[in-house]
Amino acid sequence: MEPTPQTSSQRFQVSLSRNLGLFDVTMIGVGAMIGAGIFGLTGIAAGEAGAVGLLVAFFLNGALTSLTGLTYAELGAAWPQAGGGYAWVKEGLSRVYGFYAGWISWFSHSVACSLYAVLFGTFFVELLELGGLHLGTEPWILGLSVEALAVKLFAVLAGLTFIIINVRGSSETGLVGNIITIFKIIVLGLLVFFGIKAMINIPNWGDQFLTMPGPFPHGIQGIILAMGLTFVAFEGYEIIAQSGEEVKNPGKNIPRAIFLAIAIVVVIYLAVGFVAVGAVQQDTGLPNWLYLGENAERAMIETARAIMPYGALIMILGGLASTTSALNATIYSSSRVSFAMGRGRDLPPIFGRIHTRNKTPHWAIWLSGLLILGMAVLLPVADVASGASITFLLLFLMVNVSLIRMRKTHPDLERPFRAPLVPWLQYLSIAAQLVLAIELFKLSPIAWVVTIVWLVFGIFVYRRLGGVQEAAKRKDTILLEETVASTEYSVLLPVANEAMARQLARFGSLFAQANRGELFALHVVSVPQQIGITDGRTFLRQGRPILEEVIDVGREFGVPVRTMLRLGRDIGASIIDVAREREVNLMVLGWPGHVHHRQEAFGTIIDLLSKNPPADLAVVRFRHAALPQRIIAPIAGGPNSRMALELALTEADTIEMRTGKRPEVVALNLIVDLEHENDPEKKIQERREALVEGFGIENWPIELMIEPARDGVVEDILRVARDFDQIIIGASEEGFLEQSLFGSIPQRIAEEAHTTVVMVKRHDVVKFGVRRWLQTRIGHRTPRPVWAKKPDS
């Protein structure tokens, strides 16, 4: 019967293609940071902080940004996943905090994007007026003037343009963004160049910084307020981390891009602030810092008009380039956050879909675009923009807390970059972010109201989506489970490839058939820590053929087969979990004879056998595909040796039922220092009687072979086993086949033998063991074999 996948297995998801180099992703960060802030907020910040205070505010914001940049660099390099802070908070703290990190990040980027769209419309209208087209300022429709309506119209057109560009693909996003960002830097570079040239001809330009009336006219309070006002101009570097799944060599390029972007932006901001205060010559009688404050968002246009030819035109063009660059970058980032939330099922699944041709999250882009355009048209953008700054601060605060937490909860996570002085720098950053958030409340109380409303709405969304998915999270790691029949005995076969699956299925079928049980074929998809657990669903098609091999062998042996595809971070832990959840009786694992990675084959065999398995365990190294005709079981004592004998006899019994010819089973015991005994024959006889009585095998169809240990335990076993098709040996334990210097005796035998070797370990001799074959056969029509009857005590 063809397995039918569950509903969850039908949702295939893929990772974004990696096509962004260091230059591309750095330009994305610079483009997002040099947005409307430097053009529209510099004048307002100068009016609050004063001449030197403006530069100090820029510098301190740069330092604060660098502190959180360290956090983003470490987490972005170690966890390069679309969604950035959302994914890290979700992993480092809990799902509810992760949801809010994504919810806040999506909102803040979307609101900032709507601000950039409206400012683009504003600059474009200024350009039209500079060209002689004057729009009316009198109210016309809904209390809005023609000029205001034109601003809204151009904002929507700009937003739609970059939404379409982002839908078409990241390569075009990077190309357009790089061109705009470079042009914007050139414009600001020209402003700085002409400003310094003008300052050379102003003999007392230093007075503008020190004596009018002083460097900090409003004290520390003014500097802090200016930092809060311009903080939005320093966010944007986090977009680099949010695009982690599309960055080439993210372990190196993400940290480099973050610090390059921050350094470029801080230098530009300081240079622009310096010439804006020092180079302007005006006749109002006001100090330059206050003159900039009076002109507010038009301050940079007036500065450019005063210090360079065609300054107003160049600055308007720079403002247009700046807003379009930031618009492009924030559409990109807001859609990536909502895409990651949709993929993590914190938002409806439609957000997590990827365009089959463009390989972009097209639905996330369009739906985020609707949010952006709606706010650009309907909301009072200035106050909501302050809300965006508040939410950015809250997001960065949670990311810093996540780094502190993940240093403890994920100590083994590979970190190509490690932030220094954790957690002290993070504590400093958190404290500073809280101070700025409070200052923003003083500046715009409505911004906090809007933020709180958004957070409350987030509670409703989480309860409808995130909380439900959290409850089903563990269950949903099972991609496919097909149960053909219900049986009391189950042989678990963890299979990794088709060749091993067929060999394990033939071996396991012998024991499933003997116990009238089932084969349970399990394929585990290993999901790295750096990606979401559900992303492994793309391997569904790859795992099906492996399980089909086991189904085919099951038909051949007449054994029912249950199959499961499962996602997991650690293959070994996933197999153990399945064995416990499904209460399997016997686990059969294949060992290729080497180890590429610890998770690939549980590490070394001795590591595997040293654990307490949740069921009887058999680890097989196959050398021959044919059914064995001669089986040898080296024994000494204990439950693992007894399990080796029971497996050998069960296997022989099933082969006899299938072929009519019973394989020979030999139990081998070695006596050390036999040559030093006065009566070797008597010693051998005593050992034989002790083994027969200890194992209760007097009537078992087994030949008991007792040999002297001559060259060493491993060498002697291999010498005797040359004429056998299969070796079944119990795991080493105290008092049983002592450990050699070069690893366990079973492992050495498996490595050096030229025949198939089966290493076994007992879990529970009553409930789980192969010994159940002896008990269940009582109620079956097949007569109980003579060897299964225990001698009278």
Side-chain angles (χ1 to χ4, degrees), residues 474-493:
R474 181 174 181 85
K475 179 180 179 181
D476 200 50
T477 60
I478 298 175
L479 295 182
L480 167 70
E481 183 170 8
E482 170 75 6
T483 302
V484 178
S486 177
T487 63
E488 293 185 1
Y489 190 90
S490 182
V491 178
L492 176 63
L493 306 178

Side-chain angles (χ1 to χ4, degrees), residues 413-734:
L413 178 65
E414 183 179 352
R415 291 173 168 86
F417 175 84
R418 294 181 67 89
L421 299 178
V422 176
W424 305 111
L425 291 181
Q426 283 65 43
Y427 289 151
L428 177 61
S429 181
I430 290 169
Q433 288 158 359
L434 287 174
V435 170
L436 292 184
I438 293 172
E439 290 299 316
L440 284 172
F441 175 77
K442 295 179 180 179
L443 178 68
S444 176
I446 193 175
W448 270 99
V449 172
V450 172
T451 301
I452 292 172
V453 169
W454 181 257
L455 294 178
V456 171
F457 181 51
I459 294 175
F460 169 78
V461 174
Y462 179 77
R463 293 184 65 181
R464 291 294 301 271
L465 292 173
V468 174
Q469 296 298 339
E470 177 71 8
K473 183 179 179 182
R474 181 174 181 85
K475 179 180 179 181
D476 200 50
T477 60
I478 298 175
L479 295 182
L480 167 70
E481 183 170 8
E482 170 75 6
T483 302
V484 178
S486 177
T487 63
E488 293 185 1
Y489 190 90
S490 182
V491 178
L492 176 63
L493 306 178
V495 290
N497 55 68
E498 294 180 39
M500 184 63 75
R502 176 163 287 274
Q503 289 181 309
L504 287 176
R506 290 179 63 84
F507 181 78
S509 292
L510 298 173
F511 306 101
Q513 187 177 39
N515 290 278
R516 299 179 183 250
E518 67 173 9
L519 288 180
F520 185 0
L522 169 68
H523 179 66
V524 179
V525 177
S526 177
V527 182
Q529 293 284 353
Q530 286 82 357
I531 67 173
I533 190 71
T534 58
D535 291 346
R537 297 179 187 281
T538 56
F539 295 93
L540 177 62
R541 294 184 182 90
Q542 175 183 323
R544 291 286 292 271
I546 299 174
L547 300 181
E548 290 291 341
E549 289 289 336
V550 180
I551 293 173
D552 290 343
V553 174
R555 293 194 186 103
E556 176 186 341
F557 280 77
V559 174
V561 178
R562 182 179 7 164
T563 59
M564 178 187 289
L565 281 167
R566 187 178 179 113
L567 303 176
R569 298 293 190 191
D570 181 277
I571 293 179
S574 295
I575 293 173
I576 290 174
D577 287 344
V578 171
R580 287 173 177 161
E581 292 167 4
R582 300 302 188 266
E583 296 183 347
V584 301
N585 304 87
L586 174 66
M587 290 198 306
V588 181
L589 306 175
W591 183 50
H594 58 273
V595 175
H596 291 302
H597 191 278
R598 182 176 181 82
Q599 290 187 348
E600 182 177 330
F602 292 88
T604 63
I605 292 297
I606 186 62
D607 287 338
L608 172 62
L609 298 182
S610 66
K611 297 179 180 179
N612 181 27
D616 286 346
L617 176 66
V619 179
V620 188
R621 185 179 189 187
F622 293 100
R623 294 290 194 177
H624 306 292
L627 295 174
Q629 296 303 311
R630 301 190 71 203
I631 304 171
I632 188 169
I635 61 172
N640 294 331
S641 288
R642 183 177 179 86
M643 178 181 171
L645 290 176
E646 292 172 357
L647 272 179
L649 291 171
T650 303
E651 184 178 16
D653 195 44
T654 308
I655 293 174
E656 182 181 16
M657 287 189 293
R658 289 187 57 80
T659 66
K661 183 178 179 181
R662 184 179 185 82
E664 177 186 0
V665 179
V666 174
L668 171 66
N669 181 259
L670 299 176
I671 300 180
V672 180
D673 297 329
L674 183 62
E675 65 275 11
H676 297 148
E677 295 289 337
N678 295 328
D679 190 348
E681 293 298 329
K682 180 180 179 181
K683 180 67 174 179
I684 291 175
Q685 184 60 30
E686 290 176 350
R687 176 65 63 86
R688 182 183 301 276
E689 293 174 357
L691 291 172
V692 169
E693 181 179 358
F695 285 106
I697 58 175
E698 181 178 0
N699 297 319
W700 289 19
I702 294 177
E703 177 187 345
L704 184 56
M705 179 185 299
I706 299 177
E707 292 285 325
R710 299 172 182 173
D711 304 320
V713 173
V714 173
E715 291 75 11
D716 290 332
I717 292 175
L718 293 175
R719 172 176 51 81
V720 176
R722 288 173 184 169
D723 299 327
F724 289 81
D725 304 308
Q726 189 179 92
I727 303 171
I728 303 182
I729 184 170
S732 300
E733 52 191 312
E734 291 184 6

Side-chain angles (χ1 to χ4, degrees), residues 35-183:
I38 188 65
F39 289 89
L41 300 178
T42 300
I44 302 173
E48 296 292 340
V52 178
L54 174 66
L55 302 182
V56 172
F58 280 163
F59 178 79
L60 291 179
N61 263 342
L64 177 59
T65 300
S66 298
L67 291 180
T68 304
L70 290 170
T71 299
Y72 270 85
E74 175 172 326
L75 294 178
W79 213 288
Q81 182 174 353
Y86 157 69
W88 306 331
V89 175
K90 185 175 180 180
E91 182 68 25
L93 299 179
S94 68
R95 187 183 183 94
V96 63
Y97 289 107
F99 168 82
Y100 266 107
W103 188 247
I104 289 171
S105 180
W106 184 34
F107 174 73
S108 55
H109 284 102
S110 297
V111 174
C113 191
S114 68
L115 171 64
Y116 301 147
V118 173
L119 287 175
F120 172 88
T122 302
F123 278 111
F124 198 83
V125 168
E126 288 286 336
L127 180 64
L128 294 178
E129 292 185 349
L130 189 64
L133 179 60
H134 298 284
L135 302 177
T137 58
E138 297 297 324
W140 182 41
I141 298 177
L142 299 177
L144 297 176
S145 65
V146 174
E147 182 181 270
L149 289 173
V151 168
K152 299 291 185 180
L153 174 63
F154 290 126
V156 170
L157 292 176
L160 283 175
T161 299
F162 282 98
I163 288 171
I164 293 172
I165 289 174
N166 274 265
V167 167
R168 292 186 61 184
S170 288
S171 60
E172 296 173 46
T173 301
L175 175 62
V176 175
N178 291 346
I179 294 173
I180 294 175
T181 300
I182 291 172
F183 173 72

